[in-house]
Amino acid sequence: MTQFQAPSQKKLKDISLYINGQFVKSNSQETFENINPFTNEPINHIAAGDAADIDAAVAAAKRAFHGEWGQMKLDERLDYVYKIGDLIEKHSEEIAVLESYDTGLPISQTRKMIARSAKNFRFYAEMVKSHLYGEAYQVDDEFINYSVRKPVGVAGLITPWNAPFMLETWKIAPALATGNTVVLKPAEWSPLSANRIAEVINEAGLPDGVFNVVHGYGETAGAALVRHPDVPLISFTGETTTGSEIMKNGADALKQFSMELGGKSPIIIFDDADFDRALDACTWGVFSFNGERCTANSRVYLHEDIADDFIKKLKERVDRIRVGDPMDPNTQVGPLVHRNHYDNVKGYLQLAKEEGCEVYSGQVPAEHSRGNFVPPTLLLNADQHLRVVQEEIFGPVIAVMTFKDEDEVIEKANDVRYGLAGYVWTKDMQRGHRVAQAIDAGMLWVNSQNVRDLRTPFGGSKHSGIGREGGFYAFEFYTETQIIHVAMKDHYIPQFGK
Ligand code: NAD
């Protein structure tokens, strides 16, 4: 692990685009300001790419796909993928510090995410080596048909600002390992670690053009990537409304999309649940990553027999959660990523009051008034039809509701437009399976917080997404299946016009 000096309140050097193996200014020379969420002071300026830069990046990626990268032997390609993982590990402390500085995520949490990011590369190198294969179909004695999986081309990756490095790497790793080339458009509020991945890939010595980063706004750089005729794949993680807009914009070019979208996931706690473990999981599941977590359990349904005790304990936890400097290893909740998002979350707290909830919040230390801090918050006496129960708030806020029986809670859990994740706590395992399977969501956990093996599918149903990432599922997106039909004898062919 390399030693890295925490930037604390320092300004950092400005950030360029990474196109065709070079760090370059944007074609327009435009930049935008990157702000520290802890102080609301500028960190640096970021090159603002637009359609011209996307054109250059896609052209470089296309050349690399049809050139050196496309023709490279598998072992050599995968050696590069392993090397990226090794370099992330080598620079992991520095990347974690940058990530926390840029996003406000607590350093204890970004450290874990960066370690996981390195694993994404090793995992996909191994997956491709051992599991990316086709099938063969013997058709009597007449044909042998076989399928091959081929890389598709230039993959456009569009990523959000929550857990940015982690989410970028879990798209980049399968895209590169399966042989595609990449243009990444990272979120404008979290450019530091996206630039660092470009530096890492540059250090790994990948051929020019295999990996490119175009920073910039969604409506300009992002939209240009989506519309580009030479980009057949768009993998998007972000808000549901943005996903829908992107699908419209890519429709004329018949893009293939992978959509990882928003969530409003329930945690259901039955009266027989392990109370203390459920409390730990519920608290961590909504307040980790500052609540800016797609799979956050942002709605809790408590069986009425345990509700009073559970709410009492939740209040105690909220009072004690350590809110503070994201660089402090003891911090559990840091500032939200940007002032605009802070205003948005605060707006929801005001709305909750207007909708009749009791809003119970923890404390933000007075010395942190410059930061985008929203304290951990419970929305008590919430009701299913409220906007604060139906809409994704994406902050450290949980709506608290009660239920009497299984049918009622399943109906309530499913009564939102999202279907990303869900959590069930009960010691009755028949009920655990039954309720988990009855919930309309892509990922369920029973008696567990959100832990995920890299082999398992990740993604949501309903308005939370289309397709799955992770494990084999990434192969479905990043490779094209081709079938070759080969005749083994002179089979009958109709003789039209003979
Ligand atoms: P966002 O939709 O605002 O932005 C995501 C990315 O899309 C950014 O890079 C942005 O610049 C770009 N973008 C915006 N408009 C675009 C357009 N018209 N064309 C192309 N690109 C465009 O999302 P966000 O606020 O950055 O992230 C938070 C959201 O992401 C939440 O809804 C959260 O639930 C979701 N999320 C989902 C998952 C998942 O796996 N399901 C994971 C993390 C975050």
Side-chain angles (χ1 to χ4, degrees), residues 159-162 185 188 222 236-239 242 261-262 294 392 458:
T159 48
W161 45 259
N162 72 310
K185 207 305 279 175
E188 44 275 55
F236 172 75
T237 301
E239 281 184 19
T242 316
L261 309 174
C294 56
E392 184 181 45
F458 185 98

Side-chain angles (χ1 to χ4, degrees), residues 139-158:
V139 186
D140 302 325
D141 58 352
E142 289 190 320
F143 288 96
I144 178 76
N145 301 341
Y146 66 91
S147 66
V148 288
R149 283 184 175 270
K150 297 163 47 166
V152 185
V154 180
L157 312 182
I158 303 178

Side-chain angles (χ1 to χ4, degrees), residues 161 189 239 264 287 289-293 334-353 359 361 372-377 379 388 391-398:
W161 45 259
W189 289 348
E239 281 184 19
K264 188 79 178 181
F287 299 128
F289 301 166
N290 302 342
E292 299 160 324
R293 173 184 198 132
L336 299 187
V337 67
H338 193 275
R339 203 67 185 173
N340 293 359
H341 185 54
Y342 164 92
D343 288 341
N344 198 23
V345 174
K346 282 287 204 183
Y348 272 111
L349 300 192
Q350 179 57 34
L351 176 66
K353 284 183 196 153
V359 176
S361 292
N372 305 325
F373 283 98
V374 172
T377 298
L379 306 182
V388 291
E391 296 175 18
E392 184 181 45
I393 298 175
F394 219 55
V397 182
I398 184 167

